[in-house]
């Protein structure tokens, strides 16, 4: 666990936005960007899209418009996005956070609601991963019963992971929580089918061993195995899992929240009496809706890259996309990229065998 002093926050944050990505494109991204600029006077936006799509933003303050001639569709194969559409808004937006020959970037973070597979592939190709990190991971936050959020990774970038990959996720995720929540030693749990060390697959048991070693070395604050319900209890600040399990857990949580909201709405509109009761209970119902609304938690981080890239939900409306911009803003302002890099370097120094082992397992 790092004991270094917090890094000084950025005074001005520049965010590159893929305005063409997602199910709705500019009809959602542009209003979200305009509202975000109004709410954040210390923000500059680099809006990327076709010339026609960006025309409404031509006179906006603190905005730079960058045109792109192509768009990655939501159903485009990764190969198309990576090899054929070299001037896509997605690729151009990601390029804004790549350092030039002098080490400077045109943006501090990038946000897109586009095709997840394409975004991951293009971002990894353009930005590369940190030394010692084999695979980027998708990290997001889920609400818990403590009133806070549990950070979870990986949520779908890597279906098959080695134990070494899970160790890397724990180190990177700890840096994420430290940057966003200000916790120098965030607690880490390994998602498993039970708390006992003897449970789980061979990969999970081996990952548990590595995480315990990392905890003993002071690299992470490992608390042991956790189960699925611990994500929503807030048992640990961070939960680590492979992308298959994480994505299933995420989609299950979204589906459950939607189903419960639907049940409540159906019961309160069943007859005239329940509608009257619903009016009395409206403030409570609105607060409940807000707590389970996935749009509030938009903006998953592609963690492990040499640049900050955030993925908004493909079906995002303006409210959800604005929250994804907020995640990117918080990470960039708190210099999350530097914190991840510093923790990775510290980990490699303390465990020099880890990267070689991880590469062999990749």
């Amino acid at each position: 666990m790092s004991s270094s002093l917090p890094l000084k926050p950025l005074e001005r944050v520049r965010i590159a936005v893929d305005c063409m990505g997602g199910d709705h494109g500019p009809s959602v991204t542009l209003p979200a960007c305009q509202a975000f600029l109004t709410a954040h006077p210390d923000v500059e936006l680099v809006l990327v899209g076709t010339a026609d799509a960006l025309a409404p933003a031509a006179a906006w303050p603190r905005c730079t418009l960058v045109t792109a001639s192509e768009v990655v569709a939501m159903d485009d194969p990764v190969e198309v996005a990576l090899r054929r559409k070299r001037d896509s808004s997605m690729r151009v937006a990601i390029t804004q956070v790549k350092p030039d020959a002098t080490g400077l970037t045109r943006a501090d973070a990038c946000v897109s609601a586009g095709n997840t597979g394409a975004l991951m592939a293009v971002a990894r190709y353009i930005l590369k991963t940190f030394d010692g990190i084999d695979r980027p991971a998708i990290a997001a936050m889920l609400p818990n019963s403590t009133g806070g959020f549990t950070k979870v990774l990986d949520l779908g970038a890597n279906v098959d992971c080695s134990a070494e990959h899970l160790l890397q996720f724990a180190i990177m995720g700890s840096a994420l929580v430290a940057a966003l929540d200000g916790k120098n030693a965030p607690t880490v749990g390994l998602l498993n089918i039970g708390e006992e060390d003897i449970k789980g697959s061979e990969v999970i048991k081996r990952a548990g061993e590595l995480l315990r070693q990392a905890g003993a070395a002071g690299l992470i604050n490992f608390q042991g195995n956790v189960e699925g319900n611990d994500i929503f209890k807030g048992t640990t600040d961070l939960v680590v899992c492979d992308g298959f399990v994480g994505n299933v857990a995420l989609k299950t949580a979204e589906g459950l929240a939607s189903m419960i909201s639907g049940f409540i709405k159906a019961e309160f509109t069943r007859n005239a009496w329940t509608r009257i009761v619903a009016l009395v209970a409206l403030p409570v119902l609105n607060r409940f809706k807000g707590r389970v609304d996935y749009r509030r938690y938009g903006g998953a981080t592609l963690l492990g890259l040499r640049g900050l890239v955030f993925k908004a939900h493909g079906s995002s409306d303006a409210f959800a996309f604005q929250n994804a911009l907020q995640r990117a803003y918080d990470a960039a302002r708190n210099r999350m990229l530097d914190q991840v890099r510093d923790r990775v370097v510290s980990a490699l120094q303390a465990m020099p065998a880890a990267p070689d082992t991880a590469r062999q397992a990749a």
Side-chain angles (χ1 to χ4, degrees):
M1 295 168 282
S2 174
S3 58
S4 59
L5 295 175
L7 298 173
K8 183 180 179 180
L10 295 180
E11 294 182 359
R12 199 155 190 84
V13 176
R14 297 163 298 168
I15 302 175
V17 182
D18 170 17
C19 293
M20 311 304 294
D23 295 337
H24 309 294
S27 65
V28 159
T29 56
L30 289 184
C33 288
Q34 189 173 36
F36 196 76
L37 281 169
T38 301
H40 295 79
D42 60 338
V43 163
E44 296 177 5
L45 296 183
V46 180
L47 305 183
V48 184
T50 63
D52 289 343
L54 297 182
W60 290 1
R62 291 177 282 119
C63 268
T64 300
L65 308 186
V66 178
T67 58
S69 61
E70 297 172 307
V71 176
V72 175
M74 295 300 283
D75 58 353
D76 273 347
V78 170
E79 178 67 20
V80 171
L82 193 59
R83 305 297 180 191
R84 301 181 190 176
K85 294 186 176 180
R86 296 178 180 272
D87 193 43
S88 69
S89 59
M90 177 186 290
R91 184 166 183 154
V92 174
I94 293 171
T95 303
Q96 305 304 304
V97 300
K98 180 181 180 180
D100 60 20
T102 65
L104 298 177
T105 63
R106 290 181 289 275
D108 303 303
C110 170
V111 179
S112 174
N115 182 322
T116 302
L119 185 68
M120 177 63 77
V122 174
R124 185 175 182 181
Y125 178 77
I126 297 293
L127 301 175
K128 314 302 181 189
T129 58
F130 287 116
D131 291 337
I133 299 299
D134 297 290
R135 303 178 180 183
I138 297 176
M141 61 183 191
L142 295 175
N144 60 46
S145 59
T146 69
F149 305 96
T150 302
K151 310 301 189 297
V152 186
L153 79 164
D154 178 27
L155 291 178
N158 307 282
V159 174
D160 297 309
C161 295
S162 69
E164 288 78 11
H165 293 141
L166 295 174
L167 171 61
Q168 294 173 14
F169 296 168
I171 293 169
M172 295 190 298
S174 294
L176 168 70
V177 178
L180 297 184
D181 297 346
K183 296 181 178 180
N184 190 49
T187 53
V188 180
L190 176 63
L191 191 59
N192 203 347
I193 58 173
E195 297 180 359
E196 299 84 357
D197 295 341
I198 60 172
K199 288 191 174 181
S201 66
E202 292 304 314
V203 170
I204 292 298
K205 286 188 282 188
R206 171 59 179 159
E209 294 175 5
L210 293 179
L211 291 172
R212 283 189 290 275
Q213 292 172 14
L219 301 176
I220 58 174
N221 186 6
F222 184 53
Q223 302 294 299
N225 292 334
V226 296
E227 299 180 78
N229 57 347
D230 286 304
I231 295 174
F232 303 102
K233 288 180 181 179
T235 305
T236 58
D237 299 311
L238 175 72
V239 172
V240 175
C241 57
D242 65 54
F244 183 90
V245 171
N247 192 264
V248 170
L250 175 66
K251 297 299 173 59
T252 300
E254 290 178 353
L256 178 62
S258 178
M259 182 185 71
I260 291 175
S261 297
F263 283 172
I264 292 175
K265 181 178 180 180
E267 292 303 321
F268 274 112
T269 57
R270 186 173 295 278
N271 53 51
W273 169 244
T274 59
R275 289 188 180 93
I276 294 173
V277 174
L279 289 175
V280 176
L282 190 59
V284 176
L285 294 174
N286 285 336
R287 286 196 296 271
F288 169 79
K289 181 180 179 181
R291 294 187 69 175
V292 301
D293 188 354
Y294 80 89
R295 300 177 305 160
R296 291 183 58 209
Y297 316 115
T301 315
L302 274 58
L303 205 56
L305 298 168
R306 296 174 183 262
L308 292 178
V309 179
F310 285 77
K311 171 68 173 70
H313 205 293
S315 62
S316 292
D317 59 11
F319 176 73
F321 197 82
Q322 191 173 346
N323 281 320
L325 292 171
Q326 183 67 49
R327 300 287 89 73
Y329 168 83
D330 290 339
R333 185 174 184 277
N334 292 313
R335 300 175 62 182
M336 189 183 80
L337 188 67
D338 294 326
Q339 296 200 43
V340 171
R341 182 198 60 223
D342 291 347
R343 291 211 179 210
V344 169
V345 170
S346 297
L348 295 182
Q349 291 174 344
M351 303 179 69
D356 290 338
T357 304
R359 290 191 187 96
Q360 292 171 7

